[in-house]
Amino acid sequence: VGSPKLGRTPPLTEDETLERIRHTLESGTQSVDLRDDAAVVDIPGGGSLVVSVDSVVEGVHVDLSLCSPADVGWKALMGALSDLAAMGARPVGALVALCVAPGLEEGAGEGGVTLGVMEGVAEASRTAGCPVVGGDVSSGGELVVAVTVMGTVDGDLPVMRTGARGGDVVLLTGPCGGSAAGLRQLRAGGGGERAAEAADQSWAYRRPVARLREGTTARLCGVHAMIDVSDGLALDLHRLANASNVGFDLDALPVADGATPDEALGGGEDYELVMVVGPADVDALIGAFTSEGLRPPLRLGVIADDPDHRVLHGEPLGQLGWQHRLG
Amino acid sequence: VGSPKLGRTPPLTEDETLERIRHTLESGTQSVDLRDDAAVVDIPGGGSLVVSVDSVVEGVHVDLSLCSPADVGWKALMGALSDLAAMGARPVGALVALCVAPGLEEGAGEGGVTLGVMEGVAEASRTAGCPVVGGDVSSGGELVVAVTVMGTVDGDLPVMRTGARGGDVVLLTGPCGGSAAGLRQLRAGGGGERAAEAADQSWAYRRPVARLREGTTARLCGVHAMIDVSDGLALDLHRLANASNVGFDLDALPVADGATPDEALGGGEDYELVMVVGPADVDALIGAFTSEGLRPPLRLGVIADDPDHRVLHGEPLGQLGWQHRLG
């Protein structure tokens, strides 16, 4: 009865797998676009919704010896919300599917891992103003938290990855590499409950924050394209450039306190937003961020017409970053 | 750093865990209701959305030696869609979070488990008329498919579990136990690609169908309450009765061909709908099903005012069914 055939295939990268999945889904009657951070769904009766799903898996994305169940719940919801931020959407609700190993539950005491994770989800939910409207709990062999988020752009169009044009300016909401540095510090036995020193980035790793207000502010300023730094600044820059069929010429790399340039380029989970804006609109964008009390955006460089021209400090920028190898 | 405390707690049932999770989420500023099959979210700009999430975990809900990756994908989407059916909602889109063990991928040949699962998702998506609008793929220790579905009731109110009243009639869209019987037959080495005999229920197990048209037809006929048979007819009847604070007096148990009465009461994953309707509306409901070309509903009995009176054939009905023990 249809059990998997034996054989071997070369492992696919995450992007390759998504391409194959798109093909499978498109071979039917429907047309889908899974290429952006989130999808846009028209709602019968008016309005449209920006939706996305994101998973956190113990042993792959997180390590429960370095962070608490509540950290895992927080990271799962914030990671999903970051996809809404990258579209300029405001969250309206989240659904959480939780899979917990019975063995984990037994060792976890008071309330167990399930309730610990949900406490972190609830904290992130309050911080982001995104109510949890549904959920599902299963037992399983390991901890998996899959979060679906829904958002609105209030009648406006969401910001896609596809709109960057030659001559546009590339801005970033904040320095990168903090999350990777925090993970390194935690692995080395460091890191406190909250950072006592600026270079302690353990909190950036355990409690990252989706840049939701930055995203909506950027949308209202008419940015041409956005992406969030989830898998590493370099990889996510390439993804945006691929989607827009452009290149880039960057002369700045904002590195978080305590992080290395490699961590800033390849670390991921920073959730800063890359914003691409027309040169005439840069000052208005910076002004809007300032008047909203947000950190002023950092200038990375410009978009190039040539899709093969992708440089940082005059050198070609590799596709550093975090792709799952499936298989 | 906040690693789980050591200790032991008595295991919680699924319903008890959900109660604790509700408490965690409600201790904040938000009010949530996770009690029904699906949640209702108001969309800024008009309209409302019925949303639900459901997971399938290898080794817990499915066994890849008894069904194919495509079966798993089909079951995951249909199981989630059944929650929409129970609210009388029409699907508008689904998001799929997939977690696949690299070891599974390696043994699975052409395209691997990931693409196999997504082929089943795509088939179910076409059958149900529900496009897949988003997804996420992770590697992990086991196969987990978490599906979020969104639906609409076209400006109407969704059907809840809470509306049953004494004297109402309890109807069922079809006999139960087929899925459990099919699993038993597959375990015994039986079951074909499609059932050659009526008593071969392997297809009911591998390819269950959400009763979406039945659900919307029932909503348009003004049924008072509905629930889908996902964890077993007896347990789901108790859940509906708990939500409505009523009892029931049933004199019929429709058992699927090849299934036993125990499988009908406790098996689950049948996805038939329990419909509770005012006595004056029974004929209109049956007429609407007939004119829609749907199987005529089966009469189980009546709703009792006394919440402690819950009987089948004059005997108290136990809460048979499938609850995860977490921990």
Side-chain angles (χ1 to χ4, degrees):
Chain A
V1 182
S3 56
K5 281 170 260 156
L6 291 178
R8 281 197 172 262
T9 39
L12 300 174
T13 66
E14 186 176 353
D15 287 349
E16 288 162 351
T17 301
L18 290 178
E19 191 52 51
R20 299 279 292 269
I21 288 174
R22 273 193 286 276
H23 181 76
T24 299
L25 293 171
E26 280 167 356
S27 62
T29 53
Q30 43 197 309
S31 159
V32 290
D33 188 354
L34 306 179
R35 252 155 287 227
D36 225 293
D37 293 291
V40 183
V41 181
D42 289 327
I43 304 307
S48 68
L49 213 57
V50 181
V51 293
S52 185
V53 61
D54 208 27
S55 307
V56 170
V57 182
E58 221 264 299
V60 178
H61 305 92
V62 289
D63 180 343
L64 277 180
S65 69
L66 299 178
C67 59
S68 71
D71 292 338
V72 176
W74 173 288
K75 284 165 71 83
L77 182 54
M78 283 295 182
L81 287 170
S82 182
D83 289 326
L84 295 188
M87 309 285 280
R90 199 163 51 74
V92 298
L95 298 102
V96 180
L98 188 56
C99 177
V100 181
L104 268 183
E105 261 334 319
E106 278 176 24
E110 184 67 55
V113 169
T114 300
L115 291 176
V117 170
M118 290 310 297
E119 275 160 21
V121 167
E123 287 169 43
S125 153
R126 288 190 288 272
T127 300
C130 176
V132 176
V133 298
D136 178 74
V137 179
S138 298
S139 58
E142 69 196 330
L143 179 63
V144 179
V145 189
V147 178
T148 299
V149 287
M150 304 175 288
T152 178
V153 286
D154 297 309
D156 203 355
L157 288 174
V159 182
M160 314 295 282
R161 297 178 179 177
T162 47
R165 308 165 210 166
D168 282 352
V169 176
V170 183
L171 300 166
L172 191 63
T173 54
C176 288
S179 178
L183 176 58
R184 170 172 47 77
Q185 292 163 350
L186 286 166
R187 282 182 174 151
E193 272 298 300
R194 291 224 180 225
E197 310 163 42
D200 178 358
Q201 293 285 359
S202 58
W203 202 249
Y205 172 73
R206 291 172 53 202
R207 299 286 171 133
V209 177
R211 305 299 189 265
L212 290 160
R213 285 178 57 221
E214 288 82 349
T216 50
T217 303
R219 168 172 56 81
L220 293 169
C221 289
V223 296
H224 293 167
M226 275 202 292
I227 192 169
D228 66 317
V229 179
S230 54
D231 292 338
L233 179 59
L235 183 57
D236 290 317
L237 278 166
H238 279 287
R239 285 176 175 158
L240 185 146
N242 291 343
S244 293
N245 195 31
V246 295
F248 48 76
D249 200 329
L250 310 182
D251 48 29
L253 174 65
V255 180
D257 280 339
T260 67
D262 277 356
E263 286 168 342
L265 280 173
E269 287 195 8
D270 290 307
Y271 301 129
E272 300 295 348
L273 299 177
V274 175
M275 302 176 289
V276 176
V277 61
D281 298 326
V282 172
D283 288 348
L285 181 71
I286 292 173
F289 269 60
T290 306
S291 66
E292 286 284 322
L294 302 169
R295 173 161 49 185
L298 307 165
R299 192 184 184 285
L300 298 192
V302 293
I303 294 292
D305 281 315
D306 178 3
D308 294 326
H309 182 79
R310 300 188 182 180
V311 300
L312 169 65
H313 297 139
E315 297 289 325
L317 181 64
Q319 304 216 17
L320 308 170
W322 204 75
Q323 285 224 11
H324 297 156
R325 284 245 150 225
L326 303 159
Chain B
V1 183
S3 57
K5 281 171 261 155
L6 291 178
R8 280 199 171 259
T9 39
L12 300 172
T13 66
E14 186 176 352
D15 287 349
E16 287 161 353
T17 301
L18 290 179
E19 191 53 51
R20 299 277 292 271
I21 288 175
R22 273 193 286 277
H23 182 75
T24 299
L25 292 171
E26 280 168 356
S27 63
T29 54
Q30 43 197 307
S31 159
V32 290
D33 188 354
L34 306 180
R35 252 156 289 229
D36 225 293
D37 292 291
V40 183
V41 181
D42 290 327
I43 304 306
S48 69
L49 212 57
V50 180
V51 293
S52 185
V53 61
D54 208 27
S55 306
V56 169
V57 182
E58 221 264 297
V60 177
H61 305 93
V62 289
D63 180 342
L64 277 179
S65 69
L66 299 178
C67 59
S68 70
D71 291 338
V72 175
W74 174 287
K75 284 166 72 84
L77 182 53
M78 283 295 183
L81 286 170
S82 181
D83 289 327
L84 295 188
M87 308 286 280
R90 199 164 52 75
V92 298
L95 298 101
V96 180
L98 187 56
C99 177
V100 181
L104 269 183
E105 247 357 305
E106 277 177 25
E110 184 66 54
V113 169
T114 300
L115 291 176
V117 170
M118 291 311 295
E119 276 161 21
V121 167
E123 288 170 43
S125 154
R126 288 190 287 271
T127 299
C130 176
V132 176
V133 298
D136 179 74
V137 179
S138 298
S139 58
E142 68 195 332
L143 179 62
V144 179
V145 189
V147 179
T148 299
V149 287
M150 304 177 287
T152 178
V153 287
D154 297 309
D156 202 356
L157 289 174
V159 182
M160 312 297 281
R161 296 178 180 179
T162 48
R165 308 164 210 166
D168 282 351
V169 175
V170 184
L171 300 166
L172 191 64
T173 53
C176 287
S179 178
L183 176 57
R184 170 173 48 78
Q185 291 163 350
L186 286 167
R187 282 182 174 150
E193 272 299 299
R194 291 222 181 227
E197 309 165 42
D200 178 358
Q201 293 285 0
S202 59
W203 202 249
Y205 172 73
R206 292 172 53 203
R207 298 288 170 130
V209 176
R211 304 299 189 267
L212 289 159
R213 285 178 57 221
E214 289 82 348
T216 51
T217 303
R219 167 172 57 81
L220 292 170
C221 289
V223 298
H224 293 166
M226 273 201 295
I227 193 169
D228 66 316
V229 179
S230 54
D231 291 339
L233 179 59
L235 182 58
D236 290 317
L237 278 166
H238 278 287
R239 284 176 174 158
L240 185 146
N242 291 343
S244 293
N245 195 32
V246 295
F248 48 75
D249 199 330
L250 311 182
D251 48 29
L253 173 64
V255 180
D257 281 338
T260 67
D262 277 357
E263 286 169 343
L265 280 173
E269 286 194 10
D270 291 308
Y271 301 130
E272 299 296 348
L273 299 177
V274 175
M275 302 176 288
V276 176
V277 60
D281 298 327
V282 172
D283 289 347
L285 182 71
I286 292 173
F289 269 60
T290 306
S291 66
E292 286 284 323
L294 302 170
R295 174 161 47 184
L298 307 165
R299 191 182 184 286
L300 297 192
V302 294
I303 294 292
D305 281 315
D306 178 3
D308 294 326
H309 183 79
R310 300 188 182 180
V311 300
L312 169 66
H313 297 140
E315 297 289 325
L317 181 65
Q319 303 216 18
L320 308 170
W322 205 75
Q323 285 225 8
H324 298 156
R325 284 245 150 224
L326 302 160

